[in-house]
Amino acid sequence: MKYFLILVSFNISSFFALEGKAKSQPENSNPKLLRQIELEQSKRREQMLVHKKLYVNVQTDQLKNKSEELVMEAEGIVAAPYQNTLKIVTDYSQLKDVSGHFRKVVYRKDNQRLYLLVGAMGYVAQLWMQLKENQDKEEVYRLDWVIDRGKFKGMQGQIIYEPIGFRHTRIQMKSKLQAKKLPLPPIISRLALEVLSHRVASRMRTYIETQSKKPK
C-alpha cells in the first residue's frame, strides 16, 4: 500500500530481529563496530516499538550520467498481529479509507495489477503498477512492485512484512526511480515529499491498528 512510495515504502538495510536473533555477521567483523551497530539498532527498535516512531527518508541525487535518482525508504512497527496486518494491507480497496490522497483504486487479483489515482498539494498522478507477492517463509511476506505506466514509469521497490512477537508487525519499504528528469513538480520538494509520506504512513498505521481491533 503506497503513495508514490507507501508502505510502501520497504530490504532497507540489515536489521536485527526484535526477538534477539541477529542476522549473521562476517567472522572477521570488528567486535567494537558490531557492538555499536547492535546498540544503534536496539535504540531504533525501541523508538519504533515503545515510542511508535516512524522512519521515513527521501533522497534525490544527480548521477554521473546526468540522470536523476529518487530513493524513498520507510520503516515502522504496527500494534497488530502479523496475520491481521496482512489481511488488511492486501485488501487494496481500503486505501481510499486510509487517506484522501488516494482518489481512485482499482485492483485486479487475476494478474496482480493495481491502478492508483493519487493527489496532493494540487498535483495528481496516475500509477499503473504490477505487483508480485512473495512468501518464501511462513512469517515473512514480501511485495515487489514496479510502475510500468504513468509519470513515475520505471519506479520499483518492495515492502516487507515481518511478525514481531505475537502482537506486532514490522513493515519495511524501499523504492527507487532513475530518470533523465524526475517527474516531480516544483511544489513537491524532497522535504515536502518526506513530510507527506510520513503523514500517510502514520495514517496507514492507525488504520491497520484500528481495523485489527474490530470484532471478527
Side-chain angles (χ1 to χ4, degrees), residues 7 10 21 34-35 40 164 168 191 201 203-204:
L7 294 184
F10 9 303
K21 297 179 181 178
L34 288 180
R35 180 56 180 162
E40 290 175 356
I164 302 300
H168 296 82
L191 181 58
R203 290 178 182 175
M204 180 70 72

Side-chain angles (χ1 to χ4, degrees), residues 1 6 11 18-19 75 85 130 133 163 172 177 179 192 195:
M1 305 176 81
I6 280 286
N11 191 17
L18 280 173
E19 303 296 71
E75 182 184 17
T85 299
Q130 181 62 55
E133 298 176 325
Q172 304 174 55
L177 171 65
V195 171

Side-chain angles (χ1 to χ4, degrees), residues 37-216:
I37 293 174
E38 288 179 7
L39 290 174
E40 290 175 356
Q41 297 295 354
S42 177
K43 182 178 179 180
R44 184 184 179 100
R45 294 194 300 269
E46 180 183 4
Q47 290 292 322
M48 290 191 297
L49 187 60
V50 179
H51 303 291
K52 299 182 72 68
K53 182 175 177 61
L54 287 170
Y55 288 90
V56 178
N57 182 44
V58 177
Q59 295 293 332
T60 56
D61 292 301
Q62 186 81 40
L63 303 180
K64 290 182 179 179
N65 61 3
K66 295 186 179 180
S67 63
E68 298 178 344
E69 182 179 67
L70 171 66
V71 177
M72 309 177 74
E73 301 178 340
E75 182 184 17
I77 294 176
V78 298
Y82 174 70
Q83 292 298 337
N84 290 15
T85 299
L86 285 188
K87 185 177 181 180
I88 295 167
V89 300
T90 54
D91 183 357
Y92 301 102
S93 64
Q94 300 183 69
L95 278 171
K96 289 195 290 184
D97 297 328
V98 174
S99 171
H101 295 303
F102 298 99
R103 308 286 182 83
K104 186 175 181 180
V105 179
V106 179
Y107 176 63
R108 290 187 55 185
K109 188 175 181 179
D110 59 335
N111 59 2
Q112 293 190 295
R113 295 285 296 175
L114 178 65
Y115 166 78
L116 297 176
L117 178 65
V118 295
M121 303 171 68
Y123 177 69
V124 178
Q126 297 185 82
L127 310 177
W128 284 266
M129 310 177 72
Q130 181 62 55
L131 311 183
K132 182 180 179 182
E133 298 176 325
N134 294 280
Q135 198 163 12
D136 298 333
K137 298 179 181 178
E138 185 178 347
E139 294 187 337
V140 176
Y141 176 91
R142 190 179 83 243
L143 178 69
D144 296 316
W145 56 270
V146 59
I147 298 175
D148 53 22
R149 285 183 62 191
K151 291 183 179 180
F152 286 80
K153 181 179 179 179
M155 190 172 196
Q156 57 186 312
Q158 67 175 203
I159 311 170
I160 296 176
Y161 302 89
E162 181 181 5
I164 302 300
F166 297 103
R167 300 179 181 178
H168 296 82
T169 304
R170 179 169 56 194
I171 303 176
Q172 304 174 55
M173 185 286 301
K174 183 174 183 179
S175 63
K176 180 187 291 187
L177 171 65
Q178 289 186 4
K180 186 175 181 180
K181 179 70 176 176
L182 292 176
L184 292 173
I187 193 173
I188 301 183
S189 64
R190 181 198 65 79
L191 181 58
L193 191 55
E194 192 167 283
V195 171
L196 179 62
S197 300
H198 191 283
R199 186 181 305 160
V200 177
S202 180
R203 290 178 182 175
M204 180 70 72
R205 179 176 61 190
T206 299
Y207 184 82
I208 293 172
E209 293 176 348
T210 300
Q211 292 297 112
S212 179
K213 292 176 183 177
K214 287 187 175 180
K216 300 296 185 292

